[in-house]
Each structure stands twice: as structure tokens, then as C-alpha cells.
Amino acid sequence: MRILIVNTSERAGGAAVAANRLMEALNNHGAKAKMLVRDKQSGALTVVSLPPSWKQHWNFLWERCCIWLHLRFRRQHLFDIDIANAGTDITRLREFQEADVIHLHWVNQGMLSLKDIRKILQSGKKVVWTMHDIWPATSICHLALDCRNFETHCQQCRLLPGGGSTNDLAAKVWRQKQRMLEGQHLTFVACSQWLAGEARKSALLQGQTITSIPNPIDTHLYRPLDQQEARQALGLPHDQRLILFVSQRATNPYKGMQYLTEACERLVNQYPEMKENTAVVVLGGHAEEVTAPLPFKSYALGYVNDEQRIVKVYNAADVFVLPSLSENLPNTIMESMACGVPCVGFRIGGIPEEIDHQENGYVAAYRDAADLAKGIRWVLDEAPKEEVRSACLKKVAHNYSQQRVAQRYIEIYEQ
């Protein structure tokens, strides 16, 4: 069985990481998978880029220009919206024609237009679409947050100036997506049970098959290492407890760094001794911009794309904290637990599916910095460390291993 995985980027972003891991898992367990991307960053033979063309860059710019116009020339929300009005027809490519299954992932920012997707659906190929966020089930947004319009009809969008209208950009793209899916049937796979539940509520996806399969992880790469050796390799202190925060862009407000800062302030006020024996490590772009307000000593590691180094960062930590305001099934929590490091996060999205409360980590009340601080304190000072570490490794092995995830996807393809 030949699978063509389609994603905008080969490596940038959580969806690209997950798509790459799935391709590897499938190839290791009986399927023949390739990946088609616009932005190729390696020399991997199993990854194919779109034919070089000036149109690819133009597609990205044209979509942003159209969105900028609807935002009345404001930058706010410029990258929170995708309308898929420009892209590349991939149905003529040899890789497409040879594939038995076309597996769409994150195809935004000029990779595929709605017309391109419609053409794929009409090609007669089997199509599976993995949802890394809620965009396939809404009109233009990737994060619905408190908005429930997608349950009936997207319009009066909160992301548009003045709250939009009944015939705004969201309403127009919603109708275009309806036409794209009209008369077609495909399988949508959400990476979390939470997102699958949200997708089933979408008026846009009524009648489609929706299921849930988590992302896989390579447990041969993400595994426990000696903590002191990891710290020495990274130049981190040997004699402090390290709180880790990871985000591709540390300044992304949806990743909730402000809540971690507040939680740390509460910890210092309640337990002054922590100021001397605890530090915060931030991994991600613009890390140095978010460490200044922290009451603890901090280490900004910046953006890293070397996975071996990332594994060392996880292993250097005592606790990983992800106070995101919206999440599907974060790769970072999975990666941390695969290294035996417990996690603390808010009760939102798929996070409670990964973290079993006070077993392999701590699930804090949503947007509650006080409870987040309580969770950090629990992991550092109250939890039975070896039991929690063992529970982390067991959770990953039973739920997110390559073999388990590959088998579930192969069953979907065969159906």
C-alpha cells in the first residue's frame, strides 16, 4: 500500500513533526509512505517537494494580502486566519498518481487551495485528513477557543474587525468549504479525542467519518538519559531543580507563558527557599524575550531543531510545564514523558488525555495560575519521583509507540 502524506512543511511546526513521525512509523511497519511538502528542509529520499515555481511564494503572499485587506490593513490575526484561496494542483504529480491513499495533514499558507482539495477528492483516490487543529471543521480559524459558530454556520467572526457580519469572510469561506465537501466522503482523523468530539459537532463535517488516533513518537530517540550528563552538555546548573517551558515561538500568547510567570511568582511568595534552588529553562524562538519577568534564575536556549539536543533538554529538566490556552495533543508533552519527565498543563483540549492527574503529572484548572503553581510544587516536592517517572514511560509505550499508531492508521487505510 502506497501512502502520500501531504503537509506544507517538512519540519517546521508540530504538524510537520507529527507527519514525519507517522511516515517513519508506516515505513517501519509494512506500508510504503512518502511525504509531499512545499518547504523541504532535508535530503531525505522519502520527502518530495513541489516542483520549483515562483507561484508557490506568490500563493502565500496572495492569501496573506487578501486576509490583510479583510483585516482592514491590520497585522493582528494575520496568521490566525487561513482562507486557502491559492495553492498548487498536486493531482498531476507522479507521486500522487502512484499513491493508493492521499493523506492530508496541515496544508495551509499556500500549499493547497480549497479548489485543489476538491480536485483531490474528485480524483477517485482514498483520502484521509489528519486534523492537527480545528481549521478543517471551521471556516477560517485554527483556534475556536470559546466560539461555537462552527456548530451551525461560521459568520460574524471574532477575528475580523468589529466582530464581522452575517456575510463576512468567514461566511464566504464556509460556503466554499461546503461546496468542496459536497457529495464527497473522506475520513477525518483527529490527534486527540477532544478534537474528534469538536469535529463531530461541526455542521461542516456532518456525514463524514471522524475518528481519533494520537501522533506517534520514536521511543528509541526520545528516551531517558542521565540528567547530570544532559545538563553538563547544555551548560545548565547541576544543583538546581529545573522547570522547562518549550514552544516553537516562546512569545506566542496562546502558549501561556504569562501563566507560568505568575505561577513562579506565587511559588516564590509561598516558598522563598525556591528562589535559591529552582530555575526556569525556556526552549524556543524569542526565548530571551520572556525570561526577564521570571522571579527565578532563567536560561534562554533559543530555537533548536537538532532532535538529539532537544532530547537532552528534556532530560535535563525536573518538570515540563505547558500552560497553553488551546491544544490538540501536544507533541511536547509526549516527548517529555518519553524521557521520563512529568508534565504540568491546563485542563484544555487533549492535554488531560496525555497527563493522568497526579499519576504521570498534574492537570491544573484552566487559566488558574495558582493551581499551576500547585502542580509544579507537587512534581518537585511531593510526588513519588520514581513512580511518576515509571508512569510517564508506561503511558507513552502503551499509547504513542510507532507500532501502535501505524497499525491503527493502516486499519483506516484498508477500510
Side-chain angles (χ1 to χ4, degrees), residues 155-359:
Q155 58 184 359
Q156 296 177 312
C157 183
R158 63 180 176 83
L159 299 176
L160 299 174
S165 67
T166 56
N167 193 34
D168 59 10
L169 179 63
K172 293 174 182 176
V173 175
W174 179 271
R175 292 193 292 270
Q176 292 169 5
K177 282 190 171 181
Q178 285 180 316
R179 289 194 291 271
M180 176 187 77
L181 294 171
E182 186 177 5
Q184 301 297 323
H185 185 271
L186 62 157
T187 298
F188 288 88
V189 179
C191 298
S192 67
Q193 296 173 22
W194 165 79
L195 185 58
E198 293 291 274
R200 292 187 186 105
K201 297 173 186 175
S202 170
L204 193 65
L205 302 189
Q206 293 305 302
Q208 303 293 347
T209 299
I210 300 170
T211 189
S212 171
I213 301 176
N215 297 325
I217 188 168
D218 183 355
T219 51
H220 297 291
L221 175 61
Y222 287 88
R223 59 188 176 88
L225 304 174
D226 182 87
Q227 187 182 73
Q228 293 303 324
E229 290 181 5
R231 291 185 177 189
Q232 183 174 357
L234 298 166
L236 295 173
H238 291 258
D239 57 350
Q240 291 184 308
R241 289 99 58 82
L242 298 184
I243 300 169
L244 175 63
F245 174 85
V246 177
S247 175
Q248 185 179 8
R249 179 169 58 88
T251 52
N252 182 344
Y254 295 118
K255 293 300 179 181
M257 183 65 193
Q258 66 272 28
Y259 289 96
L260 176 56
T261 301
E262 184 181 342
C264 290
E265 290 170 349
R266 288 175 176 272
L267 288 170
V268 167
N269 291 334
Q270 288 181 275
Y271 311 99
E273 71 277 7
M274 289 185 68
K275 194 170 180 67
E276 303 302 322
N277 64 21
T278 307
V280 177
V281 177
V282 179
L283 177 66
H286 306 280
E288 67 285 348
E289 296 179 29
V290 301
T291 54
L294 289 165
F296 295 129
K297 188 171 183 180
S298 58
Y299 299 86
L301 300 185
Y303 179 77
V304 176
N305 59 12
D306 178 357
E307 281 198 289
Q308 297 285 354
R309 186 172 176 83
I310 292 171
V311 171
K312 290 177 182 176
V313 174
Y314 283 117
N315 275 279
D318 294 288
V319 59
F320 172 62
V321 183
L322 185 65
S324 291
L325 304 186
S326 180
E327 281 290 354
N328 183 9
L329 196 78
N331 291 324
T332 49
I333 288 180
M334 195 184 301
E335 292 163 357
S336 179
M337 290 201 303
C339 296
V341 178
C343 306
V344 179
F346 285 143
R347 187 175 296 282
I348 189 67
I351 289 177
E353 297 172 34
E354 293 180 290
I355 303 176
D356 299 315
H357 185 57
Q358 293 190 320
E359 291 183 22

Side-chain angles (χ1 to χ4, degrees), residues 37-212:
V37 300
R38 184 193 65 194
D39 305 327
K40 183 174 179 179
Q41 288 104 357
S42 79
L45 297 177
T46 52
V47 180
V48 181
S49 62
L50 294 176
S53 172
W54 61 270
K55 290 183 178 180
Q56 293 171 28
H57 189 56
W58 171 249
N59 289 337
F60 170 79
L61 291 176
W62 175 244
E63 183 183 29
R64 289 311 111 189
C65 286
C66 293
I67 294 170
W68 189 46
L69 177 64
H70 281 90
L71 292 175
R72 299 176 187 170
F73 309 108
R74 300 173 187 172
R75 287 185 57 85
Q76 186 181 18
H77 301 313
L78 182 58
F79 288 93
D80 296 335
I81 292 172
D82 274 299
I83 59 176
N85 64 334
T88 300
D89 177 8
I90 66 171
T91 60
R92 298 180 181 179
L93 300 180
R94 177 174 57 85
E95 290 78 13
F96 182 93
Q97 294 172 358
E98 290 177 348
D100 300 304
V101 178
I102 307 302
H103 192 154
L104 305 179
H105 283 253
W106 202 89
V107 292
N108 298 111
Q109 296 192 359
M111 176 68 181
L112 298 179
S113 69
L114 298 181
K115 289 182 179 179
D116 296 328
I117 297 173
R118 173 72 176 176
K119 197 165 185 179
I120 292 169
L121 298 178
Q122 292 176 327
S123 69
K125 299 280 187 179
K126 299 175 183 178
V127 180
V128 175
W129 193 341
T130 289
M131 298 175 60
H132 295 278
D133 56 42
I134 204 166
W135 185 83
T138 68
S139 176
I140 62 176
C141 74
H142 294 274
L143 299 175
L145 297 180
D146 296 329
C147 177
R148 310 305 301 175
N149 287 352
F150 67 91
E151 294 182 5
T152 53
H153 188 292
C154 282
Q155 58 184 359
Q156 296 177 312
C157 183
R158 63 180 176 83
L159 299 176
L160 299 174
S165 67
T166 56
N167 193 34
D168 59 10
L169 179 63
K172 293 174 182 176
V173 175
W174 179 271
R175 292 193 292 270
Q176 292 169 5
K177 282 190 171 181
Q178 285 180 316
R179 289 194 291 271
M180 176 187 77
L181 294 171
E182 186 177 5
Q184 301 297 323
H185 185 271
L186 62 157
T187 298
F188 288 88
V189 179
C191 298
S192 67
Q193 296 173 22
W194 165 79
L195 185 58
E198 293 291 274
R200 292 187 186 105
K201 297 173 186 175
S202 170
L204 193 65
L205 302 189
Q206 293 305 302
Q208 303 293 347
T209 299
I210 300 170
T211 189
S212 171

